[in-house]
Amino acid sequence: MSNPTVLFVCVHNAGRSQMAAGYLQALAGDRIDVLSAGSQPKDQVNPVAVDAMREEGIDIADNAPKLLTVDAVMESDVVITMGCGDACPIFPGKRYEDWQLDDPAGQDAATVRRIRDEIRHRVEILIGELTPPA
């Protein structure tokens, strides 16, 4: 049986979705495949988000924001949106969740850390739901 694939989507694919993808890769290892994308991707990942994740020992500095494609949604089992509203195409048979999280863009480090910690909490719950206990 193949791994479940999770797609994280936010508008710019520069903050929340990158942090979530970083956590899921670090915490789930090879048990879950991870994608992230944005409906209007920025040219680089938010440096404050990169720093906040580095504090957790997770390096997302080399990640590049990607444009959300229909293919990415089609190949995903779980699609988690973060404030991208109707930009995400909806397909039957997929699990969709919308995580209400503040956008870290333009926020100070303390605010971004709070968002990061909330993302980690939600990712840990998601891993528990998607993977059988070891």
Side-chain angles (χ1 to χ4, degrees), residues 5-9 33 35-37 68-69 72-73 76 78-81:
T5 299
V6 175
L7 171 65
F8 292 105
V9 183
D33 297 328
L35 301 169
S36 73
L68 176 65
T69 63
V73 178
S76 300
V78 181
V79 179
I80 295 179
T81 57

Side-chain angles (χ1 to χ4, degrees), residues 51 60 75 94:
D51 290 344
I60 60 169
E75 67 186 68
K94 310 270 179 214

Side-chain angles (χ1 to χ4, degrees), residues 81-99:
T81 57
M82 305 173 181
C84 69
D86 298 332
C88 300
I90 303 288
F91 294 99
K94 310 270 179 214
R95 171 176 163 186
Y96 290 88
E97 284 185 30
D98 187 56
W99 290 1

Side-chain angles (χ1 to χ4, degrees), residues 9-112:
V9 183
C10 63
V11 176
H12 299 306
N13 191 213
R16 292 165 289 191
S17 55
Q18 291 282 358
M19 290 193 284
Y23 269 131
L24 188 54
Q25 278 176 316
L27 299 174
D30 56 8
R31 294 176 298 164
I32 299 175
D33 297 328
V34 184
L35 301 169
S36 73
S39 51
Q40 299 165 13
K42 285 272 202 255
D43 53 358
Q44 67 175 44
V45 177
N46 179 338
V48 185
V50 171
D51 290 344
M53 292 302 285
R54 191 173 288 131
E55 292 171 3
E56 295 279 285
I58 298 171
D59 184 6
I60 60 169
D62 293 333
N63 294 10
K66 289 183 274 308
L67 180 63
L68 176 65
T69 63
V70 169
D71 287 349
V73 178
M74 296 278 293
E75 67 186 68
S76 300
D77 301 297
V78 181
V79 179
I80 295 179
T81 57
M82 305 173 181
C84 69
D86 298 332
C88 300
I90 303 288
F91 294 99
K94 310 270 179 214
R95 171 176 163 186
Y96 290 88
E97 284 185 30
D98 187 56
W99 290 1
Q100 301 289 327
L101 296 161
D102 293 332
D103 189 342
Q107 303 280 4
D108 62 23
T111 303
V112 173

Side-chain angles (χ1 to χ4, degrees), residues 19 52 101-102 107-120:
M19 290 193 284
L101 296 161
D102 293 332
Q107 303 280 4
D108 62 23
T111 303
V112 173
R113 281 190 198 105
R114 182 179 54 73
I115 297 166
R116 175 201 69 195
D117 294 345
E118 172 69 17
I119 289 171
R120 178 176 183 135

